[in-house]
Amino acid sequence: MDKLRLKFSKTGRAAYISHLDLIRTMQRVFSRAGVPLKYSEGFNPHAKISIILPLPVGTESQCEYMDFSLTEERALETLPDCLNPYMPEGLRAIEAYQAPRKGSELRWLRYEGVMRHGRDGAHYNEFFAQPELWVTRRGKKGERRDNIALGIGRAVFTDTPEGVSAELLLHALEPTVTPELLMAALGEAGPGYYAFTRKEAFLEDMTPFR
């Protein structure tokens, strides 16, 4: 069975599992559940699994996606129930299905978060309404300056008794924008504490991603 996709959540302590450790964890989960992953051929075979848009360590998500292949036919609707007893705390399989499109078609991510020990919501709303928000990124080819305002579809901040709540709609792929980049753009005006959770994923036309 090829071109399969698992939607899962990654919350709590699991948010601190790195990308490579998550790959290893998923391989162990499938093995212990008796669900045979397909492996590549050659001298150094590896499981045919990949995580779409890996999370920064410490960020929670309710909409993570993993593409994988199996060596035998399985009832995909029951696969989450097979895997979840072997998942570590904070990881939970939500659904498994035949992937209808490529992972590279994912374009937008909706986040919810809270910010404390900083400015009020009005300040953040005004700041992120600017047409230019320049930040420095570090990549394989060195540093570059990007205008992340081009990748912000929505940024709404509201004062609450618990702090400033945030709802963000950010571009996922080129230009890639994350909540961490938004906090970096704030500089010294940024909050002393913030936490964000990925809530939903969308295609370019805002159709839910699957």
Side-chain angles (χ1 to χ4, degrees), residues 163-183:
V164 177
S165 69
E167 182 176 350
L168 308 174
L169 181 64
L170 305 179
H171 208 261
L173 289 171
E174 295 305 323
T176 302
V177 180
T178 65
E180 289 74 20
L181 277 177
L182 267 62
M183 299 301 101

Side-chain angles (χ1 to χ4, degrees), residues 123-189:
H123 174 84
Y124 297 132
N125 283 321
E126 181 179 358
F127 183 87
F128 288 109
Q130 297 179 89
E132 294 187 0
L133 295 168
W134 293 93
V135 299
T136 299
R137 297 180 192 254
R138 291 179 176 85
K140 294 180 179 179
K141 297 182 180 181
E143 294 185 349
R144 73 174 193 265
R145 294 277 289 171
D146 284 340
N147 177 17
I148 64 170
L150 301 175
I152 301 175
R154 178 179 172 85
V156 177
F157 302 86
T158 306
D159 293 316
T160 74
E162 290 75 33
V164 177
S165 69
E167 182 176 350
L168 308 174
L169 181 64
L170 305 179
H171 208 261
L173 289 171
E174 295 305 323
T176 302
V177 180
T178 65
E180 289 74 20
L181 277 177
L182 267 62
M183 299 301 101
L186 285 166
E188 294 182 358

Side-chain angles (χ1 to χ4, degrees), residues 102-135:
K102 296 179 180 179
S104 58
E105 294 183 53
L106 194 161
R107 283 293 181 272
W108 295 95
L109 291 165
R110 185 175 72 84
Y111 294 84
E112 291 181 0
V114 63
M115 303 157 63
R116 302 191 184 107
H117 312 305
R119 305 292 183 88
D120 60 16
H123 174 84
Y124 297 132
N125 283 321
E126 181 179 358
F127 183 87
F128 288 109
Q130 297 179 89
E132 294 187 0
L133 295 168
W134 293 93
V135 299

Side-chain angles (χ1 to χ4, degrees), residues 11-12 23 25 87-88 107 122 130 132 136 153 178 196 198:
T11 61
I23 293 290
T25 297
M87 290 281 196
R107 283 293 181 272
Q130 297 179 89
E132 294 187 0
T136 299
T178 65
F196 289 91
R198 280 185 188 173

Side-chain angles (χ1 to χ4, degrees), residues 3-201:
K3 297 181 179 179
L4 306 179
R5 184 163 292 157
L6 178 73
K7 181 180 181 180
F8 65 99
S9 59
K10 188 171 183 268
T11 61
R13 294 174 62 185
Y16 297 94
I17 299 176
S18 70
H19 173 62
L20 291 179
D21 284 339
L22 179 61
I23 293 290
R24 298 186 189 102
T25 297
M26 285 299 191
Q27 291 184 44
R28 288 196 296 270
V29 167
F30 274 74
S31 176
R32 291 170 181 172
V35 180
L37 287 169
K38 186 176 288 187
Y39 279 73
S40 63
E41 299 179 355
F43 293 103
N44 187 27
H46 59 275
K48 290 187 175 182
I49 62 176
S50 62
I51 306 295
I52 301 174
L53 293 180
L55 277 169
V57 173
T59 301
E60 297 187 342
S61 176
Q62 296 176 359
C63 59
E64 291 303 282
Y65 300 91
M66 185 185 85
D67 288 350
F68 64 102
S69 299
L70 299 179
T71 60
E72 63 183 40
E73 295 290 322
R74 286 292 180 120
L76 296 180
E77 63 273 13
T78 63
L79 192 58
D81 289 337
C82 293
L83 299 175
N84 279 329
Y86 303 94
M87 290 281 196
E89 179 184 347
L91 289 179
R92 186 176 73 86
I94 299 171
E95 61 175 332
Y97 50 90
Q98 200 83 36
R101 56 182 54 85
K102 296 179 180 179
S104 58
E105 294 183 53
L106 194 161
R107 283 293 181 272
W108 295 95
L109 291 165
R110 185 175 72 84
Y111 294 84
E112 291 181 0
V114 63
M115 303 157 63
R116 302 191 184 107
H117 312 305
R119 305 292 183 88
D120 60 16
H123 174 84
Y124 297 132
N125 283 321
E126 181 179 358
F127 183 87
F128 288 109
Q130 297 179 89
E132 294 187 0
L133 295 168
W134 293 93
V135 299
T136 299
R137 297 180 192 254
R138 291 179 176 85
K140 294 180 179 179
K141 297 182 180 181
E143 294 185 349
R144 73 174 193 265
R145 294 277 289 171
D146 284 340
N147 177 17
I148 64 170
L150 301 175
I152 301 175
R154 178 179 172 85
V156 177
F157 302 86
T158 306
D159 293 316
T160 74
E162 290 75 33
V164 177
S165 69
E167 182 176 350
L168 308 174
L169 181 64
L170 305 179
H171 208 261
L173 289 171
E174 295 305 323
T176 302
V177 180
T178 65
E180 289 74 20
L181 277 177
L182 267 62
M183 299 301 101
L186 285 166
E188 294 182 358
Y193 168 86
Y194 62 86
F196 289 91
T197 301
R198 280 185 188 173
K199 304 293 287 188
E200 295 178 275

